[in-house]
């Protein structure tokens, strides 16, 4: 990304950025990854941590994360049945990037709160170079 070469994205399935964003896009996947970041969790534990998600959506999102190699599903053959979900190595690497993205978001929010516009965001601080006086 840092070079001056012009890149045309013709196939979003082979563009690294599109594949990376696709792995966690949507409302819930990053929160599910957060819930699993401390180690394996059962379905119910995950659902309690990711508040507001339905069982159906959680199941769907876990299946998609599993299909993408982000989450591993461990079926312990016990009675009663016990299934645990955990981040794979690829999932942990992606979660590290999401933590960086979250930190950037926190910094950006703080910078926006310090800006002065009618809406309270998007303008340069009054004492910064280029700000209208």
């Amino acid at each position: 990304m840092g070079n001056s070469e012009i890149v045309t994205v013709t196939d979003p399935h082979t563009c690294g950025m599109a594949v990376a964003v696709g792995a966690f896009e949507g409302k819930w996947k990053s929160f599910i990854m957060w819930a699993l970041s401390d180690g394996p969790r059962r379905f119910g534990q995950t659902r309690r941590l990711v508040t507001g998600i339905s069982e159906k959506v959680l199941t769907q999102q876990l299946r998609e994360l599993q299909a993408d190699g982000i989450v591993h599903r461990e079926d312990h053959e016990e009675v009663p049945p016990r299934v645990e979900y955990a981040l794979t190595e690829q999932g942990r690497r992606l979660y590290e990037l999401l933590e960086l993205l979250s930190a950037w978001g926190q910094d950006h929010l703080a910078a926006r709160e310090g800006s002065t516009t009618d809406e309270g965001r998007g303008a340069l601080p009054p004492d910064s170079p280029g700000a209208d006086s």
Side-chain angles (χ1 to χ4, degrees):
M1 277 184 54
N3 62 29
S4 61
E5 181 180 324
I6 297 175
V7 177
T8 303
V9 179
T10 56
D11 185 357
H13 302 290
T14 59
C15 170
M17 181 65 75
V19 171
V21 170
F24 68 87
E25 76 180 337
K27 182 176 180 179
W28 299 108
K29 288 182 182 176
S30 59
F31 295 110
I32 293 168
M33 292 174 64
W34 166 80
L36 300 176
S37 66
D38 287 335
R41 296 206 188 271
R42 295 179 71 172
F43 183 89
Q45 294 171 312
T46 305
R47 182 156 185 242
R48 282 188 292 278
L49 287 171
V50 183
T51 57
I53 192 170
S54 69
E55 286 186 24
K56 176 184 175 187
V57 172
L58 178 57
T59 299
Q60 176 187 24
Q61 297 291 283
L62 283 166
R63 285 182 182 154
E64 289 177 15
L65 287 165
Q66 186 180 355
D68 286 338
I70 305 300
V71 168
H72 172 73
R73 181 182 189 269
E74 182 75 29
D75 188 359
H76 301 275
E77 303 208 7
E78 301 174 352
V79 176
R82 180 169 63 103
V83 176
E84 291 181 326
Y85 296 91
L87 293 177
T88 62
E89 180 61 32
Q90 288 294 321
R92 285 189 293 275
R93 288 182 60 210
L94 179 58
Y95 184 72
E96 289 173 9
L97 297 173
L98 291 176
E99 284 182 313
L100 291 172
L101 190 60
S102 177
W104 179 89
Q106 292 297 320
D107 291 345
H108 188 65
L109 281 173
R112 285 176 40 184
E113 287 173 2
S115 67
T116 55
T117 66
D118 291 341
E119 295 149 14
R121 58 189 144 99
L124 293 171
D127 58 346
S128 67
D132 293 333
S133 299

